[in-house]
Amino acid sequence: MKRVGVLCALLLAPCQAAHAVANCSVSATTIAFGGYNPFSSSPLDSAGDITVSCSLGGLLSLLVSYQIKLATGGSGTYSPRRMSSGANTLNYNLYTSSGRSTVWGNGTGSTGTVSDGYLLGLGTTVRHYAVHGRVPALQNGRAGSYLDSITVTVEY
């Protein structure tokens, strides 16, 4: 009976202080769609990567869970996002899966987020999440380099 009490105390102690010592960071790659043909009846698809790295400071293990959210970008809306080249724009969007059925946003409206959770041990755990982009077909795009900037937020 005494042994069980000692084991519980050792297992519970890290859980109580754990939230204060988990440290997570995020990075993302650029999504490059390449050349857009305004006469093509096929959408232009591409993908990028979001990397979340989490580590601990001095604890044996911790259950870490987080939610990844994407901002609207320069258009100020998720439906659709817009890339710009000077005064010219092209509609596009970012999705949570390769099926491109859920717009990756902040969870409001009809947008979704990506959530994950795992037991974080000593060292650093790195997880990768694919971001699936699509430029719809048959837009009246002009020649140029189109850009947008998206803020990635990880809440844990």
Side-chain angles (χ1 to χ4, degrees), residues 6-141:
V6 172
L7 278 175
C8 289
L10 290 174
L11 293 174
L12 292 176
C15 295
Q16 292 172 352
H19 188 47
V21 295
N23 182 26
C24 296
S25 63
V26 63
S27 62
T29 62
T30 299
I31 297 176
F33 288 100
Y36 179 75
N37 179 353
F39 303 109
S40 173
S41 60
S42 298
L44 186 60
D45 292 340
S46 189
D49 180 73
I50 293 175
T51 303
V52 177
S53 302
C54 294
S55 61
L56 290 178
L59 294 179
L60 296 177
S61 63
L62 166 69
L63 181 59
V64 174
S65 60
Y66 50 82
Q67 190 173 48
I68 305 169
K69 300 178 178 184
L70 301 184
T72 57
S75 68
T77 182
Y78 292 110
S79 183
R81 288 180 166 106
R82 288 185 189 87
M83 295 182 280
S84 61
S85 176
N88 301 312
T89 61
L90 275 178
N91 294 336
Y92 79 102
N93 230 319
L94 304 173
Y95 301 89
T96 59
S97 69
S98 60
R100 293 175 174 82
S101 59
T102 303
V103 172
W104 197 334
N106 64 1
T108 62
S110 60
T111 68
T113 62
V114 171
S115 298
D116 199 1
Y118 50 88
L119 188 61
L120 180 63
L122 293 176
T124 301
T125 299
V126 178
R127 295 276 177 106
H128 295 272
Y129 306 90
V131 181
H132 303 275
R134 173 170 281 171
V135 179
L138 303 173
Q139 296 183 59
N140 189 17

